[in-house]
């Protein structure tokens, strides 16, 4: 039986992408899911072992920056829709290597848009280009207020500027070529399979190994945390229900000062590792601040909740505990991704500066 829809998911071997691939492969047996990923340091097929043999799933290794390869892929696989997550995603790496972010996030997105435009000459209901973006495009907030879909773009890091550039291109292809598109801008995600360069898994890994927990600046920056599986369900709802050309913010109304979050994490880890209360917190170490460090992110996701009926499923304390349990139970995964390139990154980022 022919598939109802051939859906290209880019970056499906990464953190959020692997959760989106898993959800779509399991929930929609009549869709054919094609996971395209370059397998950079952040991409890992071990994130998908539970679904890799499913009949409606196919993995293709490739680079979105290679325009000829992308155009051919759209034709060969008869791509009907795209959920685009492939990106360079870590702010600190964008400070040390900005051009790679421009290539993947801007040029790579342009290549996908262009291939979709040529493939879907007269777009049908099957066609949709879903661009997964970030709240960082909106810049930073003071003590009050929230990012809404109408907030002006004001990115500060090469990462957020490259994501803002890709959002603008997506809207330009909609307005100029009538490409059916949808964009979502989400807040900080946490959960299983996140590469331990990001705050929560890095801290779990360091606590486990009795290494310092590096806190940038005074630890007063605020992030709005969402469980990754809730992001995946939001993407599912938006992909299926949103009107073309629309943007949705995704977030869980869950703001935490970095230092408060780390204290909560330390108390969970004390308990899980049977350590004396207060001992993990002794690892907290204040380090030089991130350049251009945004102070506060907070998402207003009421449009998504009101129009499409999505809401987050988990309280943060519960989600964080589940996340700690996952990392402690998945030693092999964590040890594999924290060898090789990771040691070089860690040394450059934290030891030698
Ligand atoms: P990630 O770094 O874990 O994964 C990115 C994936 O993209 C990896 O599998 C990598 O191999 C792949 N990739 C990178 N360059 C590629 C290229 N040139 N061609 C093909 N594949 C390539 O990232 P993530 O945290 O899962 O984020 C996924 C998307 O969601 C990104 O677009 C990011 O901007 C966005 N986002 C992330 C968060 C968050 O908190 N992590 C929040 C909001 C939005
Ligand atoms: O808001 C969405 C964004 O969230 C996504 O678009 C990005 O892809 C994702 O990486 C994330 O960006 P952040 O920079 O907010 O995440 P990170 O985990 O790197 O940092 C979270 C906060 O913790 C931030 O204020 C910096 C601080 N931090 C981070 C690290 C890695 C530390 O204090 N110490 C650290 O070692």
């Amino acid at each position: 039986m022919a598939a109802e829809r051939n859906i290209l998911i880019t970056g499906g071997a990464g953190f959020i992408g692997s959760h989106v691939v898993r959800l779509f492969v399991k929930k929609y047996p009549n869709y054919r899911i094609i996971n395209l990923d370059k397998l950079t340091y952040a991409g890992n097929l071990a994130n998908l072992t539970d679904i890799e043999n499913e009949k409606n799933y196919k993995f293709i290794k490739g680079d979105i920056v290679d325009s000829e390869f992308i155009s051919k892929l759209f034709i060969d696989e008869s791509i009907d829709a795209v959920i685009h997550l492939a990106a360079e995603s870590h702010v600190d790496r964008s400070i040390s290597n900005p051009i790679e972010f421009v290539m993947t996030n801007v040029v790579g997105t342009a290549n996908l848009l262009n291939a979709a435009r040529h493939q879907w000459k007269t777009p049908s209901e099957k066609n949709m280009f879903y661009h997964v973006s970030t709240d960082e495009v909106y810049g930073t907030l003071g003590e009050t207020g929230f990012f809404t879909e109408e907030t002006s773009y004001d990115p500060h890091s090469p990462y957020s500027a490259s994501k803002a550039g890709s959002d603008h291109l997506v809207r330009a292809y909609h307005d100029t070529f009538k490409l059916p598109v949808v964009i979502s801008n989400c807040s900080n995600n946490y959960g299983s399979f996140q590469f331990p360069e990001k705050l929560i898994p890095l801290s779990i890994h360091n606590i486990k190994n009795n290494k310092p927990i590096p806190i940038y600046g005074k630890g007063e920056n605020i992030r709005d945390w969402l469980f990754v599986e809730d992001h995946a369900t939001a993407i599912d709802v938006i992909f299926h229900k949103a009107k073309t050309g629309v943007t949705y913010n995704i977030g869980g109304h869950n703001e935490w000062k970095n230092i408060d979050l780390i204290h909560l994490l330390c108390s969970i880890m004390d308990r899980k590792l049977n350590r004396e209360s207060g001992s993990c917190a002794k690892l907290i170490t204040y380090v030089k601040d991130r350049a251009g460090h945004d102070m506060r992110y907070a998402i207003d996701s009421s449009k998504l909740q009101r129009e499409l009926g999505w809401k987050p499923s988990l309280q943060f304390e519960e989600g964080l505990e589940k996340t700690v349990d996952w990392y402690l139970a998945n030693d092999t995964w964590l040890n594999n991704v924290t060898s090789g390139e990771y040691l070089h990154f860690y040394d450059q980022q934290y030891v030698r500066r």
Side-chain angles (χ1 to χ4, degrees):
M1 199 179 72
E4 233 173 72
R5 241 170 153 183
N6 295 318
I7 301 179
L8 178 68
I9 300 187
T10 71
F15 165 49
I16 302 169
S18 61
H19 285 278
V20 175
V21 165
R22 178 174 297 101
L23 176 71
F24 272 67
V25 165
K26 285 191 172 168
K27 188 169 171 188
Y28 301 107
N30 293 338
Y31 289 171
R32 205 165 66 93
I33 303 300
I34 298 116
N35 171 12
L36 167 69
D37 199 296
K38 186 180 171 183
L39 299 182
T40 67
Y41 76 92
N44 188 353
L45 290 178
N47 298 359
L48 289 164
T49 46
D50 55 331
I51 56 103
E52 67 189 1
N53 295 321
E54 294 297 334
K55 281 207 278 295
N56 62 338
Y57 172 71
K58 177 174 181 181
F59 172 72
I60 295 177
K61 183 168 189 263
D63 188 343
I64 59 171
V65 177
D66 181 345
S67 60
E68 271 178 39
F69 162 76
I70 292 296
S71 300
K72 189 168 177 310
L73 177 82
F74 269 71
I75 297 164
D76 291 351
E77 301 293 338
S78 300
I79 299 301
D80 298 307
V82 177
I83 304 178
H84 174 36
L85 296 109
E88 287 294 336
S89 71
H90 191 38
V91 174
D92 294 325
R93 289 186 193 248
S94 83
I95 297 167
S96 43
N97 192 0
I99 302 305
E100 200 161 355
F101 282 66
V102 175
M103 292 310 291
T104 289
N105 298 359
V106 182
V107 178
T109 303
N111 286 338
L112 290 163
L113 287 164
N114 224 35
R117 165 166 88 100
H118 290 298
Q119 179 81 359
W120 312 332
K121 291 217 164 59
T122 320
S124 76
E125 281 187 355
K126 279 184 174 185
N127 302 142
M128 176 60 82
F129 190 105
Y130 185 147
H131 180 57
V132 176
S133 193
T134 170
D135 61 355
E136 298 201 9
V137 297
Y138 298 125
T140 185
L141 291 163
E143 279 175 19
T144 57
F146 295 93
F147 296 134
T148 73
E149 289 81 358
E150 272 69 52
T151 303
S152 302
Y153 277 30
D154 182 24
H156 296 129
S157 71
Y159 163 68
S160 53
S162 67
K163 289 297 288 187
S166 65
D167 291 13
H168 290 318
L169 278 167
V170 173
R171 292 198 179 96
Y173 269 68
H174 173 261
D175 296 349
T176 308
F177 304 114
K178 306 285 171 261
L179 193 75
V181 305
V182 64
I183 300 178
S184 59
N185 297 84
C186 188
S187 61
N188 286 64
N189 285 213
Y190 70 98
S192 55
F193 299 112
Q194 185 169 32
F195 194 77
E197 63 188 352
K198 309 281 166 68
L199 180 66
I200 291 179
L202 183 137
S203 302
I204 295 173
H205 179 60
N206 283 13
I207 292 170
K208 217 181 104 201
N209 294 299
N210 270 309
K211 283 172 58 179
I213 309 166
I215 301 292
Y216 297 165
K218 294 181 179 158
E220 285 175 354
N221 304 66
I222 293 172
R223 295 292 181 267
D224 184 353
W225 294 92
L226 182 71
F227 191 54
V228 62
E229 292 175 37
D230 284 332
H231 189 183
T233 63
I235 289 173
D236 179 18
V237 168
I238 294 169
F239 179 75
H240 288 98
K241 291 193 183 168
K243 292 200 180 101
T244 173
V246 175
T247 295
Y248 286 101
N249 280 352
I250 309 173
H253 269 295
N254 179 42
E255 290 179 54
W256 284 80
K257 234 182 226 180
N258 291 340
I259 190 64
D260 295 342
L261 186 160
I262 292 302
H263 274 292
L264 172 64
L265 180 66
C266 286
S267 67
I268 295 173
M269 296 283 290
D270 280 340
R271 190 158 35 84
K272 299 280 175 190
L273 297 172
N274 291 320
R275 291 185 187 169
E276 197 183 315
S277 167
S279 58
C280 293
K282 289 193 183 133
L283 297 168
I284 292 173
T285 308
Y286 290 92
V287 300
K288 190 174 156 213
D289 207 353
R290 173 184 278 174
H293 197 174
D294 288 333
M295 182 46 86
R296 175 173 168 254
Y297 302 149
I299 276 274
D300 176 351
S301 63
S302 56
K303 178 179 170 190
L304 174 60
Q305 306 208 16
R306 193 177 57 248
E307 292 184 2
L308 305 186
W310 171 88
K311 58 178 189 329
S313 68
L314 275 188
Q315 290 297 314
F316 186 59
E317 286 77 356
E318 191 187 347
L320 192 60
E321 184 138 352
K322 265 178 99 159
T323 302
V324 169
D325 286 340
W326 187 86
Y327 282 95
L328 293 180
N330 286 276
D331 249 359
T332 314
W333 184 93
L334 198 54
N335 292 339
N336 283 343
V337 299
T338 51
S339 57
E341 195 273 350
Y342 182 81
L343 296 174
H344 177 69
F345 159 77
Y346 199 88
D347 189 38
Q348 295 287 320
Q349 178 66 25
Y350 297 102
V351 182
R352 280 208 222 136
R353 356 188 254 165

